Amino acid sequence: MLSKQRGLGLIQVAIVMATLAAIAMAFLMSARHERNFFTEGLAKLAGKPVPAAGASASSAAAAAAAAVPVVPAGVLRKCVINGKTVLSDVECKDGQVVKAIDTRGIEAPKVPKPDPADSAPQSATDKMIEKATR
């Protein structure tokens, strides 16, 4: 009396898992390339023109650049963002200019000076001891 088992079959589970893996891969690829493949795909399906990669970011950046005056490069500012103090080279509303300290980096260790006893000429006794130990 074998009755048929109810539920999903092995092939159906494999197809569902492959679909989930493809969606996760598309999400990771879109995050890596800083694009949204899902909205681009929906735009293609809807027949709307696909926005160029970074078009919204570049238009937002252009609008922000027009609003903020040009600041010389290499100037650090101390800003508070979300309660955290950060150093940034971008203008912020309550930023204070910070003067950077020029360091020389890591210096090589200095070679110790040789002992004066090693550089002095050997006495006759030292020469005889050295000769005997060879």
Side-chain angles (χ1 to χ4, degrees), residues 2 7 10 17 47 56 58 63 66 77-78 80 87 89-90 104 111-112 114 121 124 126 129 132:
L2 295 173
L10 184 61
M17 294 309 290
S56 61
S58 64
R77 289 171 190 79
K78 189 176 185 180
V80 178
L87 292 175
D89 62 347
V90 180
R104 297 174 192 243
V111 179
D126 291 335
I129 292 172

Side-chain angles (χ1 to χ4, degrees), residues 3-4 29 32 55-57 61 65 83 88 91 94 100 106 113 118-119:
S3 61
K4 192 170 182 177
M29 286 175 32
R32 178 184 174 121
S56 61
S88 175
E91 181 68 34
D94 60 346
I106 299 172
K113 295 181 181 178
D118 291 340
S119 61

Side-chain angles (χ1 to χ4, degrees), residues 9-73:
L10 184 61
I11 294 174
Q12 293 167 331
V13 171
I15 291 171
V16 169
M17 294 309 290
T19 305
L20 288 175
I23 292 170
M25 247 177 31
F27 171 74
L28 291 174
M29 286 175 32
S30 66
R32 178 184 174 121
H33 295 288
E34 296 180 358
R35 294 171 51 188
N36 193 342
F37 293 143
F38 300 108
T39 57
E40 291 177 8
L42 285 174
K44 282 183 182 178
L45 287 175
K48 296 178 183 175
V50 178
S56 61
S58 64
S59 63
V68 177
V70 177
V71 182

